[in-house]
Amino acid sequence: MNQATLVVHPSTKAQVEISLQGAWQLGSNLPSSESIRQQLARQQFRTIKLLPSDDFQWDSRLLAFLLSLQEFCQQHQSKLDINALPKEVQ
């Protein structure tokens, strides 16, 4: 099982892209919500776009992460774009 990681790509003024990599599943160590929030707080954006990598795997732990990220977006008057994620998540 590959370690769950994410990469925050430099933003334009409109969008930050986050690549989700590895296993976002029970039994995996996920990146902490606080570290993600700190990375994003240094960015200026209106949209966070999530992009799965080729080795991306998920279960309900991803949904908990998405809820936390959605809350962050609401606090910062921004949008969370999950259109590239599997249909079951959308």
Side-chain angles (χ1 to χ4, degrees):
M1 185 179 305
N2 293 331
Q3 177 70 29
T5 59
L6 60 80
V7 177
V8 178
H9 300 281
S11 71
T12 65
K13 289 208 179 231
Q15 181 171 285
V16 171
E17 293 184 348
I18 299 178
S19 298
L20 302 176
Q21 304 168 348
W24 289 69
Q25 301 172 314
L26 291 173
S28 297
N29 290 325
L30 300 184
S32 76
S33 294
E34 187 57 34
S35 69
I36 296 162
R37 287 172 182 253
Q38 288 175 0
Q39 288 181 60
L40 291 172
R42 295 187 294 256
Q43 307 278 334
Q44 292 186 353
F45 57 87
R46 288 189 282 275
T47 302
I48 296 174
K49 183 174 185 172
L50 299 179
L51 302 168
S53 66
D54 290 340
D55 69 342
F56 176 70
Q57 301 166 8
W58 67 279
D59 66 12
S60 60
R61 290 204 60 201
L62 173 67
L63 301 178
F65 167 77
L66 292 177
L67 287 174
S68 174
L69 196 53
Q70 180 63 41
E71 178 183 291
F72 177 85
C73 287
Q74 288 174 344
Q75 293 169 351
H76 291 85
Q77 291 83 41
S78 58
K79 178 184 168 196
L80 181 60
D81 180 351
I82 60 171
N83 291 325
L85 295 180
K87 295 285 184 215
E88 299 85 1
V89 176
Q90 300 174 24

